[in-house]
Amino acid sequence: GDSVTQMEGPVTLSEEAFLTINCTYTATGYPSLFWYVQYPGEGLQLLLKATKADDKGSNKGFEATYRKETTSFHLEKGSVQVSDSAVYFCALRGSNYKLTFGKGTLLTVNP
Amino acid sequence: GAGVSQSPSNKVTEKGKDVELRCDPISGHTALYWYRQSLGQGLEFLIYFQGNSAPDKSGLPSDRFSAERTGGSVSTLTIQRTQQEDSAVYLCASSLEGGYQPQHFGDGTRLSIL
């Protein structure tokens, strides 16, 4: 079945540091890929998406590129802020429409 | 516009009681999903509704769990004879039709079973 593996946290960075959260997936066919973010005390929010190979999703300075050859969708940001502290979830949506999530990565950014 | 609305936001109940959780999707969204978020299991799919098609119930953990969607809009997730392992945050999401369409989530219902 479909599965998503993302790097275990927690990740702690200083403000303005470079962020990478690794995500790899297993799926049949051609899934759509997503990053969701959950800020403290809030629900899941869509951060960015990519629907086909080589697509790059981007939002709020975050980027991720759909790499079919490596089955990866790594999340990056060049300069993190304290306000980026949250839990980040990588997810895929396969042919059966349900989302399969990774276990989440807690990011803490210190001033 | 209005997002996905869930109620109640918190629910505390005694083991063995039945609970009903409500979800109001974004207007115009034909697809509706329920997920469960727990510390041990992460985010798990429970059930999927799409238009008038039969729902995909493949993620429901036991026959104590059921869900319905009335009039293609509001959905209710019912848990009968609750157990302590049912304690979790229950999330509802909705989307437009199409596999590439993103799912938009509500803030969830935090269910605590005493």
Side-chain angles (χ1 to χ4, degrees), chain A residues 25-96:
Chain A
Y25 68 90
T26 302
T28 55
Y30 303 95
S32 296
L33 301 175
F34 305 87
W35 276 99
Y36 282 84
V37 59
Q38 189 171 35
Y39 297 103
E42 298 185 15
L44 280 170
Q45 300 177 25
L46 177 67
L47 181 58
L48 52 84
K49 67 174 183 177
T51 58
K52 62 183 187 296
D54 299 325
D55 266 3
K56 177 185 282 188
S58 61
N59 186 26
K60 299 181 181 180
F62 290 88
E63 293 183 341
T65 300
Y66 188 150
R67 301 285 188 200
K68 190 164 178 60
E69 63 276 12
T70 55
T71 61
S72 65
F73 192 54
H74 304 321
L75 181 69
E76 296 182 336
K77 186 174 185 181
S79 176
V80 294
Q81 306 300 311
V82 172
S83 57
D84 293 327
S85 297
V87 181
Y88 292 82
F89 293 91
C90 184
L92 73 81
R93 187 176 182 179
S95 58
N96 59 7

Side-chain angles (χ1 to χ4, degrees), chain B residues 11-75:
Chain B
K11 177 73 176 178
V12 180
T13 192
E14 293 178 348
K15 176 182 170 181
K17 301 284 190 184
D18 298 351
V19 295
E20 283 190 353
L21 313 179
R22 177 189 168 102
C23 173
D24 229 315
I26 293 172
S27 178
H29 281 191
T30 56
L32 186 147
Y33 312 77
W34 285 97
Y35 294 85
R36 180 167 70 173
Q37 185 175 24
S38 59
L39 279 177
Q41 302 298 322
L43 277 152
E44 306 171 277
F45 165 79
L46 296 177
I47 188 168
Y48 160 60
F49 295 91
Q50 172 58 56
N52 295 321
S53 302
D56 175 355
K57 304 179 182 180
S58 60
L60 295 179
S62 78
D63 58 8
R64 296 186 296 104
F65 287 72
S66 63
E68 63 177 20
R69 188 179 185 190
T70 53
S73 180
V74 172
S75 177

